[in-house]
Amino acid sequence: MARKTGSHSRNTAPKVRDAALRLFARFGYAAVSMRRIAAEVGVQAGALYAYTPDKQSLLFELMNGHMKTLLKTAAIPRPRGDILNQIDNFTRVHIEFHLKRPDATFVAYMELRNLDAANFAVIEQLRRTYEDRLESLIIAGRESGLLTVPDSKLAVMAVIAMLTGVNTWFRDDGRLDRAGIVAIYQDMIRRALGAQN
Amino acid sequence: MARKTGSHSRNTAPKVRDAALRLFARFGYAAVSMRRIAAEVGVQAGALYAYTPDKQSLLFELMNGHMKTLLKTAAIPRPRGDILNQIDNFTRVHIEFHLKRPDATFVAYMELRNLDAANFAVIEQLRRTYEDRLESLIIAGRESGLLTVPDSKLAVMAVIAMLTGVNTWFRDDGRLDRAGIVAIYQDMIRRALGAQN
DNA sequence: GTCTATATGCTGATAGAC
DNA sequence: GTCTATCAGCATATAGAC
């Protein structure tokens, strides 16, 4: 209880991150001022600099955290199960993960150009790691004769673009629920990859 | 020859649009100032307002022109030919059109949130018109038994996301040329749509 | 940890000269 | 059609009080 007067920061750090994420997603990094983030949190602009050295770091931490969590969540825990099941699993996890985090997903895709060079390289590396995992599955599937893929790298790009695109049109009160969407995408992706199901 | 001193605007209008497009694509609408556009054109900031009433209109005109050109280019000139060929054609035209205009494509996708409400509605309508054309093809293919598509709307979103994603990774000095990429995407899209080829 | 006050500079847009 | 000059406001970030 050695807290000074005016100090109620126990929840401020996550509030800053939440406010920044929400505002960056909605209006874009460049269009959001530190004053606006502060107002959303309920402090003055200067107080934000107790939590981040500058605006750029705030953006980077949000994107870096998002990518790290993605890689952790999408870690393949069990190498057992055949390749088609693993690809179905990738499809499901990708859709569920990103639909659960629309703001972070949007920021991670839209604000890449607002990262400085060093930060961009870090995020780019994480993105590549994620893509490589999917490519490994596709290559394994092709080698075992379960898939017919003309080009594994293009297949990766096509599948990830399809999947991430879900976030752009999904609505909670829409015609299909998440499980239904996952099932349809699993079907389309298996087919696109030439699965002999 | 009734031109006043200091008047050399014959090429300025397109220069303004080109500069704005290039800068918006690279740094984002919100991060680009009118002064910076003017500097790129080689005039002072005030001179831009002879060509656009404000910055917002400049963005809207770029996006509106892009979408109108897309709809014109992708107009289906010949209803003859079977559905699979028409879908292959859609794939080819989409990829070629967008690879030819990387900046406009990028701006059209990234800057939607920076349109004011009225302008956004216009662009949204054009985008929907484009999607509806593809859906018509898919529905016709399904009805004639050529395609197996669990959900035509999701199929549209998946296909367009796949196709537009090409712009994010394509490089002119890359491993595959445009024709090669088109062929692979035609194959993956036919398969995704359950074509019995 | 948060406040107020401030520095330094850039923003979109307009007015009037030429 | 383009220039210069300018308005009024907001930007990021820091300093020092409490």
Side-chain angles (χ1 to χ4, degrees):
Chain A
M1 284 296 129
R3 226 166 260 292
K4 294 184 203 165
T5 306
S7 169
H8 27 82
S9 78
R10 218 163 50 85
N11 300 314
T12 302
K15 271 170 145 181
V16 169
R17 293 183 38 223
D18 290 353
L21 182 61
R22 185 168 51 250
L23 291 170
F24 289 166
R26 183 151 180 191
F27 303 105
Y29 173 79
V32 173
S33 67
M34 294 297 271
R35 276 172 177 76
R36 196 164 181 181
I37 297 169
E40 191 91 351
V41 173
V43 297
Q44 293 300 313
L48 295 179
Y49 292 87
Y51 300 97
T52 180
D54 50 33
K55 194 184 171 191
Q56 166 72 205
S57 301
L58 191 47
L59 175 63
F60 172 71
E61 289 306 325
L62 291 171
M63 294 177 69
N64 194 47
H66 176 74
M67 291 306 297
K68 295 255 192 196
T69 307
L70 171 62
L71 285 172
K72 199 174 156 188
T73 303
I76 305 146
R78 303 176 186 185
R80 19 180 170 170
D82 73 11
I83 292 291
L84 293 186
N85 282 334
Q86 288 188 51
I87 285 178
D88 282 350
N89 194 56
F90 184 94
T91 298
R92 181 181 56 75
V93 171
H94 186 106
I95 291 176
E96 288 175 353
F97 181 90
H98 289 92
L99 284 184
K100 220 181 283 182
R101 297 163 178 79
D103 285 349
T105 300
F106 199 65
V107 168
Y109 278 82
M110 302 288 277
E111 303 299 353
L112 285 166
R113 66 180 159 190
N114 284 312
L115 290 173
D116 65 33
N119 287 340
F120 179 81
V122 173
I123 300 299
E124 194 65 1
Q125 176 58 42
L126 294 171
R127 194 183 57 74
R128 221 165 276 200
T129 300
Y130 184 66
E131 292 170 3
D132 286 347
R133 288 204 194 152
L134 175 57
E135 194 183 6
S136 298
L137 290 181
I138 290 173
I139 288 172
R142 186 169 54 183
E143 285 174 355
S144 64
L146 289 165
L147 299 179
T148 308
V149 177
D151 187 285
S152 64
K153 291 205 181 300
L154 262 61
V156 167
M157 301 317 287
V159 167
I160 288 181
M162 274 176 69
L163 288 174
T164 303
V166 172
N167 268 58
T168 65
W169 52 261
F170 178 79
R171 299 290 171 265
D172 266 313
D173 58 352
R175 188 167 49 88
L176 295 163
D177 64 10
R178 293 171 195 225
I181 290 165
V182 165
I184 291 171
Y185 271 77
Q186 284 172 335
D187 177 72
M188 288 194 293
I189 286 171
R190 276 189 183 227
R191 287 179 192 273
L193 299 177
Q196 338 281 350
N197 48 347
Chain B
M1 286 293 131
R3 227 166 261 288
K4 295 182 201 165
T5 307
S7 168
H8 28 82
S9 78
R10 218 163 50 85
N11 299 314
T12 302
K15 271 172 148 180
V16 169
R17 292 183 38 223
D18 290 353
L21 182 62
R22 185 167 52 249
L23 292 171
F24 289 166
R26 183 150 180 192
F27 303 105
Y29 174 77
V32 174
S33 67
M34 294 297 272
R35 277 171 177 77
R36 195 164 182 181
I37 297 169
E40 191 91 352
V41 173
V43 298
Q44 292 301 312
L48 296 180
Y49 292 87
Y51 300 97
T52 180
D54 50 33
K55 195 185 170 190
Q56 166 73 203
S57 300
L58 191 48
L59 175 62
F60 172 71
E61 288 305 325
L62 291 172
M63 294 176 71
N64 194 47
H66 176 73
M67 290 306 297
K68 296 254 192 198
T69 308
L70 171 61
L71 285 173
K72 199 174 158 188
T73 303
I76 305 146
R78 303 176 185 185
R80 19 181 170 171
D82 73 12
I83 292 292
L84 293 186
N85 282 334
Q86 287 187 51
I87 286 178
D88 282 349
N89 195 55
F90 183 94
T91 297
R92 181 182 55 76
V93 171
H94 185 107
I95 291 176
E96 288 175 352
F97 181 89
H98 290 92
L99 284 184
K100 220 181 283 182
R101 295 163 179 80
D103 285 349
T105 300
F106 199 65
V107 168
Y109 279 82
M110 303 287 278
E111 302 298 354
L112 285 166
R113 64 180 161 191
N114 284 311
L115 291 173
D116 65 32
N119 287 339
F120 178 80
V122 172
I123 301 299
E124 194 64 1
Q125 175 58 43
L126 294 171
R127 194 183 55 75
R128 220 165 275 201
T129 300
Y130 184 66
E131 292 171 3
D132 287 348
R133 287 203 196 151
L134 175 57
E135 194 183 6
S136 297
L137 290 181
I138 290 173
I139 288 172
R142 185 168 56 182
E143 285 174 354
S144 65
L146 289 165
L147 300 179
T148 307
V149 177
D151 187 286
S152 64
K153 292 209 182 297
L154 262 61
V156 168
M157 301 317 286
V159 167
I160 288 181
M162 273 176 69
L163 288 174
T164 304
V166 173
N167 268 59
T168 65
W169 52 261
F170 177 80
R171 299 288 171 264
D172 265 313
D173 58 352
R175 187 167 50 88
L176 295 162
D177 63 11
R178 294 171 194 226
I181 290 165
V182 165
I184 290 171
Y185 271 77
Q186 285 173 335
D187 177 71
M188 289 193 291
I189 285 171
R190 277 188 182 227
R191 287 179 191 272
L193 299 177
Q196 336 283 350
N197 47 344

